[in-house]
Amino acid sequence: MPHPTQVVALLKSQQIKHVRLYNADRGMLLALANTGIKVAISVPNEQLLGIGQSNATAANWVSQNVVAHYPSTNITTICVGSEVLTSLPNAAPILVNALRFIHSALVASNLDRQIKVSTPLPSSIILDPFPPSQAFFNHSLNRVLVPMLSFLQSTGSSFMLNVYPYYDYMQSNGVIPLDYALFKPLPANREVVDANTLLHYTNVFDAVIDAAYFAMASLNFTNIPVLVTESGWPSKGDSKEPDATLENANTYNSNLIRHVLNHTGTPKHPGIAVSTYIYELYNEDTRPGPLSEKNWGLFDANGAPIYVLHITDAGSVLANDTTNQTYCAAKDGADVKLLQAALDWACGPGKVDCSQLAQGQPCYEPDTVAEHATYAFDAYYKMNGKDPEACDFKGVAAITTSNPSKPNS
């Protein structure tokens, strides 16, 4: 991961107002202080058993990770565990206790109104999701889900769901059309109609959300909103994942952002936007598993966008051309001889116009190899369409989201 201050700089440059952390990392929480960014923090699964078995442990966790940072860090949400019912089934019996204990600690600190508590669940716990009106939860989980839904309802919290049309599409063996998974417009005769409600579905995402609403209704809970804690599409895959491509990832996330911001809602709840976190900010190049697991990010570790989102009329959310906010600069601490060689190449064979760097010209000062190299590197990077490969210079340059230029240059 980049340093927390770099992460926050990227969030601010992209005007991202909400972020979800998979832990409660102190460095990240300190870096997010006084930014106004709304933060969802998480109790990692490995800490869940302790918290679910001890009120005191939960109170201590809230004291260290919430009270110590709030309100300068705008913590709004606590995710207790992640997909616990399927990834850590032995913790299922204490999951609701963990929610209650964390909530009790917030009540004791007078923060329960400001900070909501819930637990992200996988959409796989919904059986028979189509048509949505027939959906129900895996019955073996009801002994956990009923008290959990009761807790969410009584505390005004959301039902957190991870929604991945990519996997629904991959596992459907051709039954789900790719366009239906990607939110692409469908001709009316290809829209999917729920025969029980006569509601028309034009994408997998809405169908899964409504399936969750119907599944909750089958347990007599009808007023708990769904919050999507993860959704996205991988931009690269191996030979078994031919639809994990840059273009499909771009299409899915661009359409998802537009769909949420337009307050389209779902067929069952039109006009009520489904708040959604995009998975994820950065690619994870050391993550195990298939190639797609490493490639869900919107940005690489240097903060360079993996692709430019196709968004119009979406205001400043991930500005339509994110590449406008990347630059190429000399790396801190790079060897001066290597920098000079790269500078000479950029101003010679690289065809960069370096006349502004001559003595007496606007960009001569500060007269250091690093500053002059950054000028030349960034010019070359722009000349080449901000192709990431145009910012390497044998390892002495890196892409950055901080504008390196001085006002007079």
Side-chain angles (χ1 to χ4, degrees):
M1 275 285 287
H3 189 275
T5 54
Q6 289 175 287
V7 178
V8 171
L10 179 66
L11 294 173
K12 285 161 84 170
S13 75
Q14 294 298 333
Q15 302 185 18
I16 294 171
K17 304 287 198 300
H18 299 78
V19 66
R20 178 183 168 205
L21 308 180
Y22 283 82
N23 50 27
D25 180 75
R26 185 168 177 273
M28 271 309 311
L29 290 174
L30 288 171
L32 285 160
N34 305 312
T35 61
I37 294 170
K38 293 182 176 178
V39 185
I41 61 173
S42 304
V43 175
N45 283 357
E46 58 268 23
Q47 294 179 30
L48 193 65
L49 283 168
I51 283 170
Q53 292 172 315
S54 161
N55 216 330
T57 303
N60 187 44
W61 192 92
V62 167
S63 172
Q64 284 185 5
N65 299 298
V66 181
V67 177
H69 297 279
Y70 189 89
S72 55
T73 301
N74 190 9
I75 298 167
T76 61
T77 311
I78 300 174
C79 303
V80 179
S82 177
E83 303 196 343
V84 174
L85 300 182
T86 50
S87 63
L88 198 66
N90 62 320
I94 56 91
L95 179 58
V96 177
N97 273 352
L99 291 168
R100 288 179 180 141
F101 289 162
I102 292 282
H103 182 254
S104 296
L106 291 174
V107 170
S109 299
N110 209 20
L111 292 175
D112 54 301
R113 283 195 177 83
Q114 297 92 319
I115 301 172
K116 297 300 177 189
V117 182
S118 186
T119 184
L121 299 169
S123 60
S124 61
I125 66 167
I126 304 168
L127 302 184
D128 206 9
F130 208 89
S133 59
Q134 286 179 320
F136 58 92
F137 293 116
N138 184 331
H139 291 313
S140 67
L141 301 175
N142 283 359
R143 59 198 167 79
V144 178
L145 287 171
V146 171
M148 177 196 297
L149 290 166
S150 181
F151 167 83
L152 297 178
Q153 184 169 268
S154 68
T155 57
S157 302
S158 300
F159 182 74
M160 293 180 169
L161 197 64
N162 294 342
V163 178
Y164 283 111
Y166 172 73
Y167 289 124
D168 295 328
Y169 162 74
M170 290 282 286
Q171 291 155 11
S172 77
N173 295 320
V175 173
I176 293 176
L178 181 61
D179 286 359
Y180 184 60
L182 290 172
F183 292 93
K184 283 191 173 176
L186 296 176
N189 64 344
R190 289 188 61 202
E191 290 182 1
V192 185
V193 181
D194 184 327
N196 300 315
T197 60
L198 300 184
L199 294 172
H200 286 239
Y201 287 88
T202 59
N203 62 79
V204 174
F205 182 87
D206 283 352
V208 173
I209 304 297
D210 277 359
Y213 281 124
F214 279 109
M216 284 193 276
S218 74
L219 296 176
N220 296 318
F221 294 93
T222 56
N223 56 354
I224 301 171
V226 172
L227 168 66
V228 176
T229 31
E230 293 178 20
S231 194
W233 196 282
S235 61
K236 195 186 285 186
D238 56 33
S239 57
K240 295 179 186 155
E241 305 171 297
D243 296 295
T245 65
L246 272 177
E247 188 52 39
N248 286 346
N250 194 339
T251 299
Y252 180 82
N253 280 328
S254 297
N255 286 340
L256 171 64
I257 291 170
R258 198 177 298 117
H259 186 66
V260 172
L261 291 182
N262 287 348
H263 290 266
T264 312
T266 66
K268 181 169 167 56
H269 291 296
I272 301 172
V274 180
S275 293
T276 302
Y277 288 92
I278 292 180
Y279 183 87
E280 57 187 333
L281 191 61
Y282 293 105
N283 274 346
E284 296 186 70
D285 48 3
T286 59
R287 194 178 176 91
L291 186 60
S292 62
E293 282 296 310
K294 307 174 196 301
N295 289 285
W296 288 83
L298 296 175
F299 298 90
D300 69 16
N302 294 315
I306 303 298
Y307 45 85
V308 179
L309 286 158
H310 302 314
I311 306 173
T312 50
D313 308 324
S316 56
V317 178
L318 276 151
N320 185 27
D321 189 355
T322 46
T323 49
N324 280 343
Q325 286 135 359
T326 60
Y327 308 90
C328 183
K331 279 187 183 171
D332 287 344
D335 183 281
V336 175
K337 286 181 185 164
L338 294 177
L339 277 178
Q340 184 66 56
L343 170 60
D344 293 343
W345 181 89
C347 296
K351 297 188 168 57
V352 170
D353 177 2
C354 295
S355 58
Q356 295 290 301
L357 295 174
Q359 191 162 2
Q361 293 301 313
C363 296
Y364 175 70
E365 294 288 347
D367 178 20
T368 68
V369 173
E371 290 286 348
H372 285 195
T374 290
Y375 174 94
F377 294 171
D378 195 49
Y380 183 79
Y381 177 57
K382 286 179 183 143
M383 272 167 50
N384 287 277
K386 299 200 173 184
D387 180 340
E389 290 181 8
C391 181
D392 179 50
F393 296 96
K394 297 191 174 169
V396 296
I399 293 168
T400 174
T401 51
S402 305
N403 186 347
S405 67
K406 304 294 176 283
N408 63 348
S409 60

